[in-house]
Amino acid sequence: MSESSTSRDPRIALVTGGSGGIGRAIARRLARDGFAVAVHYAGNVNRATELVEEVNADGGRAIAVGGDVADSAAMTRLFDDVEAAFGGIDVVINTAGIMVLSTVVDLDLDELDRMHRTNIRGSFVVSQLAARRLRSGGALVNVSTSQTRLQHPTYAPYAASKAAVEALTPVLARELRGRDITVNAIAPGPTATPLFLDGKDQEAIDRLAQLAPLERLGTPEDIAEVAAFLAGPSRWINGQVIYPNGGLA
């Protein structure tokens, strides 16, 4: 890691979608690693505030920041607020996303547009601002899904939106040549989050849990381990998509 980043204590992280699920686990993990953390929320300010209070009570530093990730003006203000509070930004973990499940033949195209606005446009907005604002020695971590490889029925709309994130990530890594900023993506497999569990009966959950050789669902904490590695010590991993999925694909 560059001298410019290691000389700053603490480093500063922004976690989009940090109020719940995987983002929440990542924010907690980074706070334990000594990061000052900005916890982003889109609608659930109460959960974001609860997490901020938890981090601060444990001796860390955290703030809650809200906004639509697909709204470039709102996100510019959000980045301004984080820099004003903490003095800069070193790491952006972009977990914000929504999931619409449908067969292709039955897909509501308005729902497709809604999902693509958050998952594709939102990823570009956050990545663009991260590319402009991250300090030397920084890291951007986007979030995709192992469904880009698993290709399970009803996941085509969601996987298509996340395939765009996987295409964006290595290109941006190359565009930031000379900046000492890494750009990677993590693509989790089935993970026990509210987003994943919503609408599934116990039989479906049990079946999905048996797919991996480790015979369980992933946990948000499993994914947070990978994100923390990419945010901190892994300076030689760049332009990659990593699939934390227990050996599924």
Side-chain angles (χ1 to χ4, degrees):
M1 194 175 296
S2 69
E3 180 180 352
S4 58
S5 67
T6 56
S7 63
R8 290 192 291 267
D9 186 22
R11 299 180 76 212
I12 315 304
L14 165 62
V15 182
T16 73
S19 63
I22 289 172
R24 192 176 188 86
I26 291 171
R28 281 195 180 111
R29 173 56 195 269
L30 293 181
R32 289 199 302 271
D33 285 350
F35 282 81
V37 181
V39 179
H40 162 265
Y41 63 91
N44 201 329
V45 62
N46 291 333
R47 281 184 59 80
T49 301
E50 289 170 3
L51 179 56
V52 166
E53 291 173 350
E54 173 190 318
V55 169
N56 290 333
D58 288 341
R61 295 175 63 200
I63 59 171
V65 287
D68 176 0
V69 291
D71 183 333
S72 59
M75 292 306 291
T76 296
R77 291 191 295 271
L78 184 148
F79 271 69
D80 289 343
D81 290 344
V82 176
E83 289 180 341
F86 292 137
I89 304 175
D90 300 295
V91 170
V92 173
I93 313 288
N94 187 28
T95 79
I98 59 176
M99 181 166 62
V100 174
L101 299 183
S102 172
T103 61
V104 173
V105 70
D106 293 324
L107 178 61
D108 181 336
L109 295 179
D110 289 338
E111 286 291 281
L112 179 70
D113 291 342
R114 181 176 70 89
M115 182 173 58
H116 279 198
R117 184 177 186 278
T118 296
N119 294 1
I120 298 179
R121 179 184 168 89
S123 292
F124 270 86
V125 168
V126 172
S127 294
Q128 183 180 71
L129 285 165
R132 292 172 177 171
R133 302 289 193 94
L134 285 174
R135 299 188 289 198
S136 177
L140 167 63
V141 181
N142 285 315
V143 174
S144 178
T145 173
S146 287
Q147 286 296 338
T148 57
R149 290 185 172 186
L150 296 174
Q151 303 163 0
H152 290 153
T154 75
Y155 280 89
Y158 180 63
S161 72
K162 290 300 189 175
V165 176
E166 294 190 12
L168 157 69
T169 296
V171 174
L172 180 57
R174 286 154 180 78
E175 290 177 351
L176 294 183
R177 173 183 292 272
R179 292 274 305 280
D180 191 23
I181 293 170
T182 61
V183 184
N184 294 290
I186 52 178
T191 305
T193 67
L195 178 69
F196 173 78
L197 297 174
D198 184 43
K200 295 182 176 68
D201 60 26
Q202 191 59 49
E203 181 181 356
I205 293 169
D206 291 343
R207 175 176 52 81
L208 289 165
Q210 292 301 308
L211 292 177
L214 297 178
E215 296 187 330
R216 66 173 177 85
L217 294 177
T219 68
E221 290 72 25
D222 290 326
I223 311 308
E225 291 289 331
V226 182
F229 180 60
L230 294 173
S234 62
R235 299 307 300 169
W236 199 234
I237 299 176
N238 192 24
Q240 304 300 312
V241 181
I242 298 173
Y243 296 86
N245 56 31
L248 266 175

